[in-house]
Amino acid sequence: MELAAAQGERVRGTTAPNPPVGCVILNAGGIVVGAGGTAPAGGPHAEVQALRQAGAAARGGTAVVTLEPCNHHGRTPPCTAALVEAGIAAVHYAVADPNPAAAGGAAHLAGHGVTAVHAPHQVVTRGALRAWLHRQRTGRPHVTYKLAATLDGRTAAADGTSRWVTGEQARAQVHAERAHLDAIVVGTGTVLADDPWLTARRPDGSLAAHQPLRVVVGTRELPRDAKVLDDSAETLLVRTHDPREVLAALDGLDDVLLEGGATLAGAFVAAGLVDRVVAYIAPTLLGSGVAALGDAGVRTMTDALQMVTEDVQLLGNDVRVSAVPRVSAGPMGGRGEAD
């Protein structure tokens, strides 16, 4: 299943409106003979990609797929039919399809003599399918709040300088993540203060193949020569300060990265619209300067927003922490630890 999840991660950000599914095919002897991820909309799904690679070796084998195979005819034929036709003997899937139009694949497979096994795996629900599953459940994009801060929670020094808080490895990971996202959201204050480009770039500085939508929130006018207004990627200006209106403007998108600044991030947290926090922490002390998070609606310790740490990673001299809100924890209540 981890191999299948890696296939889904490989295509994340390119499959909308379809989910980024991954699949591997094992032959009757348990050897991997095919692997694939869902192609861009209109192209073959992960199961078909993997079956094509496997060829005749798939007969009598097992398909391991991150999402229950679809059982409807949309732009492409149902994956259940392709699996049955290929002679697959068993299908193991991590997530039952929550989309009523596509669900029912496991039952269809079982009805055609294929053993269908629901095999939940955290690497899938926390991986490429996380944002798509969130939209299926809530009807809105999944929002990850990303911040880079010092040990004492500062994102910039007292004079406003902020380059660079974290090291090269942390920055490289951020760019690699951007290349899989649907959108990056910042406020006009960040654009006016830092003039960010908000693109996904390779280690050599060139633009990645996929660029997320750049979203600038606020009512202040931007300079005509702002980097975020160039033609490297599409940019959307959302003239509001209401986080809910921002997400409404991103209808059809699944995976959104909130990069700040502190005021906008605080507004999203206060509105209960942050689904994950990814913090890059540098072993540096400033003592004064810009705080990472602005007013988030917390007035007392009992209202503090309790998070559950799901992953900690060392990146050079920096630490990356990924955390999700606890169930019913303050303004961000209603989220699950295992989301």
Side-chain angles (χ1 to χ4, degrees), residues 281-298:
I281 307 300
T284 306
L285 298 175
L286 286 175
S288 62
V290 180
L293 184 65
D295 184 4
V298 177

Side-chain angles (χ1 to χ4, degrees), residues 8 20 30 130 181 186:
R130 182 200 298 254
L181 295 171
V186 300

Side-chain angles (χ1 to χ4, degrees), residues 175-192:
H175 278 285
E177 175 64 14
R178 284 179 176 181
H180 292 286
L181 295 171
D182 293 326
I184 302 175
V185 179
V186 300
T188 53
T190 294
V191 174
L192 293 172

